[in-house]
Amino acid sequence: METDKMKRTWEKDILLGTAVGDALGFPVQFLDRATVQKEPVTGMHPWHSVWSDDTSLSLCLADSLCGGYDLQDIGNKFVDWLYEGLWTPKGEAFDIGITTDRAISRLANGYPPREAGMDRERDNGNGSLMRISPLVPAIRGFGREEQERRIAEVSSLTHRHPRSVLACIFLCGFELACMEGQALPEAFARMQRRVAELLETERFREEAPHFERLLHLDYASFKALPEQDVRSGGYVMETLEASLWCIFNHDNYRDSVLHAVNLGHDADTTGAVTGAVAGMLYGYASIPQEWVDALARKEDIIALADKLDAVLEK
C-alpha cells in the first residue's frame, strides 16, 4: 500500500479532493437534509463549479508551505485571502465564518499568530478542520509531538479552543496513519488511543465529554450508526464525525463525497473534509474527471499541488 501511495502526489490528491467536495456541496449549503435529499446532488452543477472558503484557505496553507513552515506567513496568506482575494475562485473572499473573520482581522491588526485564534466555547465551528489537511504531507517525517504541535498551531491561527485543536489532531493523525498504510479500522483505533491519552492532559481534559462517541465506539459500531444519528452542521465535532462516517461507509471517492454533501446543512464543508480524506485514500485519478474539469481555477490548483509536492520531495 505504501509503495503505491508514494507514487502519487499527495497534495494533488488532497487539494483536488477538497475543492471538488466543496464545489459539490456549495450549491446546497445550509439546506436541511430532507430538502437536499428530495433532489440529491448527483454531480457537479454545470453552472456552479466554484468552491468556497474551505478550499481557499486550504490553498493558502499549501501556498505558504511551499516556502517551508512559517506560521506568520500562513497567517499573512489568510489575511491576503480575506482582504485581497488571494486564492479565491473569482477574486473576492466570500462565505466567511464569524470565528475565522474575527481571527483573521486580529492577524491583520498585528496579533501574534499563536494568539490570534478565538478560544471561547462558542468558537468551535469547523473553520480550522476544513483547511487542515494540506498540512499532513508536510509533517509526515516528524515525530508525533512535533506533528501535533504544528497541527495545533495551524488550527489556532483561527480556532484556538482545545476542542477544535483536538479535532484537527484526530483528523490529521488518522490521515497520517492511512498514508503509512494502515487500514481504516486500524487508523481509527490508533487515533482513538492517542486522543484518549491527550484527554488525560491538562490542556484537553475538559473536552472528554465531547469526544465520547468518537472514542468509545469501535470502527464497526461507528460505521453502523444510522444516518439520522449523524449530524452535519457547522460544529467541529459534527463535521469530523460525519466525514469519517461517510468515509467508513464507502470504498471510493465518488460515493463518499456524494453521501457527505447529501447530508445537507453545512454541505460544502462536510464535502470538503470528506473529499480531502477520500482524495488521499483513493488518489486524484479516482475523482470523476468531469467534476475536476468543471472546477474553477483547476489548472491553478494543480500547479500549486505540483509545486508543493516538488518541495516536499526534496
Side-chain angles (χ1 to χ4, degrees):
M1 185 175 180
E2 179 70 7
T3 301
D4 291 339
K5 296 285 189 184
M6 290 296 290
K7 294 177 182 177
R8 297 212 318 254
T9 51
W10 291 110
E11 285 296 339
K12 196 179 295 185
D13 297 339
I14 290 170
L15 291 182
L16 286 176
T18 298
V20 169
D22 183 357
L24 284 168
F26 190 61
V28 295
Q29 183 188 27
F30 303 135
L31 296 179
D32 63 62
R33 188 170 301 175
T35 300
V36 174
Q37 294 185 354
K38 286 178 182 177
E39 295 185 40
V41 176
T42 58
M44 194 75 73
H45 282 263
W47 49 268
H48 202 314
S49 58
V50 300
W51 25 268
S52 68
D53 56 335
D54 308 62
T55 300
S56 288
L57 289 171
S58 296
L59 296 172
C60 286
L61 173 58
D63 192 359
S64 180
L65 291 170
C66 288
Y69 182 74
D70 183 332
L71 200 62
Q72 183 65 63
D73 185 69
I74 299 169
N76 291 344
K77 293 283 194 295
F78 289 0
V79 170
D80 289 345
W81 162 73
L82 182 58
Y83 296 107
E84 305 294 334
L86 178 67
W87 284 112
T88 57
K90 294 188 175 181
E92 183 177 0
F94 61 94
D95 192 35
I96 303 161
I98 294 172
T99 299
T100 296
D101 191 8
R102 288 176 175 170
I104 295 177
S105 296
R106 284 154 63 106
L107 285 165
N109 287 319
Y111 271 75
R114 290 176 178 82
E115 301 174 15
M118 312 302 291
D119 63 354
R120 302 165 300 175
E121 174 82 18
R122 70 182 69 176
D123 297 318
N124 280 306
N126 52 25
S128 63
L129 189 76
M130 70 186 191
R131 58 167 172 79
I132 200 75
S133 290
L135 180 64
V136 173
I139 60 175
R140 289 188 73 201
F142 296 105
R144 186 176 65 186
E145 289 187 4
E146 181 63 16
Q147 289 174 341
E148 292 174 356
R149 182 183 72 83
R150 294 193 182 197
I151 294 164
E153 287 182 345
V154 173
S155 172
S156 295
L157 283 166
T158 56
H159 292 67
R160 194 159 47 100
H161 192 278
R163 194 174 313 154
S164 290
V165 169
L166 196 55
C168 287
I169 289 172
F170 195 110
L171 178 67
C172 291
F174 175 79
E175 292 173 317
L176 284 162
C178 291
M179 285 182 176
E180 292 168 10
Q182 291 194 1
L184 296 180
E186 286 71 35
F188 184 60
R190 182 169 99 171
M191 287 317 298
Q192 288 179 310
R193 292 191 297 270
R194 178 54 184 158
V195 170
E197 293 172 353
L198 291 171
L199 287 170
E200 296 295 324
T201 66
E202 183 178 358
R203 181 178 189 183
F204 297 113
R205 188 170 292 122
E206 294 183 3
E207 300 309 312
H210 306 283
F211 284 81
E212 184 173 357
R213 183 164 78 167
L214 199 58
L215 267 58
H216 290 91
L217 292 178
D218 63 17
Y219 174 84
S221 300
F222 189 87
K223 177 181 177 179
L225 285 170
E227 184 178 278
Q228 62 265 27
D229 290 346
V230 179
R231 303 184 67 180
S232 53
Y235 175 42
V236 66
M237 297 307 300
E238 293 184 14
T239 303
L240 177 58
E241 290 190 355
S243 298
L244 291 172
W245 183 83
C246 289
I247 291 293
F248 294 170
N249 277 284
H250 301 284
D251 62 0
N252 61 82
Y253 180 93
R254 180 186 182 279
D255 293 336
S256 300
V257 174
L258 286 179
H259 202 158
V261 302
N262 284 314
L263 292 175
H265 302 286
D266 202 2
D268 61 330
T269 301
T270 310
V273 175
T274 305
V277 179
M280 179 271 299
L281 287 172
Y282 306 114
Y284 69 88
S286 71
I287 305 172
Q289 190 61 45
E290 63 270 24
W291 296 359
V292 176
D293 289 342
L295 275 180
R297 299 189 64 181
K298 174 192 72 172
E299 297 300 333
D300 292 333
I301 295 172
I302 292 172
L304 174 61
D306 287 340
K307 179 180 179 181
L308 183 53
D309 280 320
V311 168
L312 294 180
E313 285 179 0
K314 291 181 179 179

